[in-house]
Amino acid sequence: MEEKGCTREEVIAALAGLRAADTPHDHILCSMCTIPHQITTAAREMFAATNLGDPGVFSGTAKLEQLFLESVGELLHCKTAAGWMTSGGTESNLQAIRAAKKLHPKEKPNIVVPASAHFSFHKISDILGLELRTAPYEAGKFTVDTEKMAELVDKNTIAVSAVAGTTEYGVVDDVSRVAKIALENDIFCHVDAAFGGFVIPFLKQPIPFDFAIDGVDSVSLDPHKMGLGTIPGGCLLFRDAESPLSLSVDTPYLTSKSQTTLTGTRPGADVAAAYAVLKYLGKEGFRDIVSGCMENTRRLVEGLSAYGYEKVLDPVLNLAVFRDFSIPDGWKVSHIRDGSLRFVMMPHVTRDVVEKFLNEVGEQKK
Ligand SMILES: *Cc1c(COP(=O)(O)O)cnc(C)c1O
């Protein structure tokens, strides 16, 4: 830090120089985050100074969070679900499994997750001191083999998890069957819909994944992914409003008496942003956006297939996976664990972007 400050222009110039070194969004094909909806700019600015860690002081912001959670609960078929905005999928998953551990105390606790589970589960099992058991994929598919999952459950299992929109292949596990395993063993069932949560409800044919399924105890979904909110923005909901209370700690010097969230100080700004998007777009607006992303996914697959590249699966959500091939310079695409190329077709990957990318791939083949 310098002794003397600089002018506003100097500060902005310093920031702009660094920002310019980032990859522009029209070349990012590998991210589950996207450009926040324009309505978030105003919402975030209005709530920039708010702290949800102190709801007695920021009661309007706290009410706003409740309205947001109710809207999301309704979307997930459980208006009375209770939870919080979080910093993202990792924190949501951690808090869900932490609650499971409190609600189902076992001597040497373990959790059983699909092979597709997000890497956050490695952090979670480390932090919570849990054995992490991974159930393999169903033969020829990328969804979890629920029979093998059931076999991995024993008397020390506290929770099973399903993924609704896997990070690598964008597929949706058979949540009903995973939830059934939980019901049969009287354990917790968490659905990780970090990516799929704001996609699946808006598909032409939604796939069951939420509280409509008996036995699903919690669902996480990220406004900062397909919710078009600002970063960071996650959300965790529990079917039973009592469940989060298992995480309650006393907060002696705040205006509230107790807290169930992981973080203390929490931004109201990102909640305002996430809520503003839901209000602004409505279900209709989200359906349009998801339908556009699905159409662009279809076009990408069609275009790459026409060049002779091989898709690894038929996309279920707005995510395509291809056997590895060389990518033209400047484009950011990610490789998943099996070495394949993954394209996440977020709203910023517009039809123009897809055509530009396909053209460059075509040029390169000549
Ligand atoms: C992105 C993702 C996460 C992690 O979310 P962060 O917001 O990066 O913490 C967890 N689970 C799934 C399925 C994801 O796609």
Side-chain angles (χ1 to χ4, degrees), residues 348-359:
H348 66 264
V349 184
T350 59
R351 183 59 180 253
D352 286 351
V353 170
V354 177
E355 297 302 340
K356 186 163 190 288
F357 176 70
L358 287 173
N359 271 336

Side-chain angles (χ1 to χ4, degrees), residues 32 87-90 93 118 120 163 165 167 192 194-195 222 224-225:
M32 290 193 149
S87 62
T90 301
N93 289 344
H118 184 262
S120 52
V163 191
T167 318
D192 182 356
F195 178 63
D222 283 357
H224 71 198
K225 289 183 175 169

Side-chain angles (χ1 to χ4, degrees), residues 318-335:
N318 50 326
L319 194 157
V321 184
F322 273 79
R323 300 258 172 256
D324 194 20
F325 62 90
S326 115
I327 296 294
D329 286 347
W331 295 89
K332 292 281 196 277
V333 175
S334 59
H335 284 93

Side-chain angles (χ1 to χ4, degrees), residues 293-310:
C293 292
M294 293 304 292
E295 169 57 20
N296 289 337
T297 308
R298 189 204 59 74
R299 172 65 190 133
L300 180 83
V301 171
E302 174 188 74
L304 291 178
S305 303
Y307 291 138
Y309 296 122
E310 194 190 339

Side-chain angles (χ1 to χ4, degrees), residues 23-355:
T23 304
H25 269 87
D26 63 2
H27 278 71
I28 303 177
L29 307 180
C30 61
S31 178
M32 290 193 149
C33 292
T34 191
I35 303 169
H37 191 281
Q38 46 89 7
I39 194 75
T40 61
T41 312
R44 207 183 200 192
E45 197 175 312
M46 285 167 72
F47 287 82
T50 63
N51 169 19
L52 279 168
D54 215 347
V57 174
F58 298 101
S59 49
T61 312
K63 169 84 181 147
L64 173 75
E65 182 177 36
Q66 286 315 311
L67 290 174
F68 172 71
L69 296 172
E70 268 168 38
S71 302
V72 178
E74 191 253 0
L75 187 68
L76 301 180
H77 301 101
C78 183
K79 268 190 188 157
T80 54
W84 328 265
M85 267 292 278
T86 66
S87 62
T90 301
E91 185 189 328
S92 298
N93 289 344
L94 171 63
Q95 287 284 79
I97 301 303
R98 231 184 112 209
K101 194 182 170 193
K102 303 266 189 206
L103 296 167
H104 300 274
K106 303 277 164 84
E107 210 173 310
K108 283 188 186 152
N110 69 65
I111 51 172
V112 184
V113 303
S116 63
H118 184 262
F119 59 77
S120 52
F121 281 96
H122 289 279
K123 303 179 187 176
I124 292 163
S125 53
D126 181 39
I127 293 169
L128 299 178
L130 306 170
E131 183 200 338
L132 184 65
R133 298 183 176 178
T134 39
Y137 295 138
E138 270 179 291
K141 287 184 167 186
F142 300 99
T143 45
V144 68
D145 182 327
T146 49
E147 270 170 38
K148 300 248 166 66
M149 180 171 246
E151 285 166 17
L152 288 169
V153 171
D154 65 14
K155 65 179 190 347
N156 283 318
T157 305
I158 59 167
V160 284
S161 178
V163 191
T166 64
T167 318
E168 291 183 293
Y169 301 98
V171 296
V172 181
D173 285 327
D174 188 334
V175 177
S176 303
R177 287 170 68 182
V178 173
K180 195 156 167 266
I181 297 172
L183 286 173
E184 283 167 2
N185 292 278
D186 189 24
I187 55 177
F188 197 87
C189 175
H190 173 62
V191 176
D192 182 356
F195 178 63
F198 283 104
V199 183
I200 301 166
F202 307 115
L203 290 172
K204 290 207 176 78
Q205 282 165 330
I207 308 159
F209 79 103
D210 61 20
F211 294 114
I213 297 169
D214 208 26
V216 168
D217 291 304
S218 61
V219 178
S220 73
L221 70 177
D222 283 357
H224 71 198
K225 289 183 175 169
M226 282 296 287
L228 304 184
T230 49
I231 301 171
C235 178
L236 171 64
L237 282 174
F238 294 86
R239 178 196 298 274
D240 180 354
E242 299 281 308
S243 297
L245 300 180
S246 62
L247 300 177
S248 182
V249 297
D250 292 341
T251 49
Y253 56 85
L254 292 180
T255 49
S256 53
K257 289 202 169 53
S258 65
Q259 196 171 78
T260 49
T261 53
L262 181 67
T263 49
T265 301
R266 288 192 304 132
D270 301 295
V271 180
Y275 183 64
V277 179
L278 301 194
K279 270 286 230 208
Y280 189 84
L281 289 176
K283 288 183 183 155
E284 227 174 62
F286 266 101
R287 266 185 225 115
D288 284 349
I289 285 169
V290 166
S291 138
C293 292
M294 293 304 292
E295 169 57 20
N296 289 337
T297 308
R298 189 204 59 74
R299 172 65 190 133
L300 180 83
V301 171
E302 174 188 74
L304 291 178
S305 303
Y307 291 138
Y309 296 122
E310 194 190 339
K311 67 178 180 211
V312 171
L313 76 162
D314 286 318
V316 177
L317 304 182
N318 50 326
L319 194 157
V321 184
F322 273 79
R323 300 258 172 256
D324 194 20
F325 62 90
S326 115
I327 296 294
D329 286 347
W331 295 89
K332 292 281 196 277
V333 175
S334 59
H335 284 93
I336 59 174
R337 283 177 286 189
D338 72 3
S340 303
L341 284 174
R342 178 187 76 146
F343 301 88
V344 193
M345 305 301 283
M346 297 302 287
H348 66 264
V349 184
T350 59
R351 183 59 180 253
D352 286 351
V353 170
V354 177
E355 297 302 340

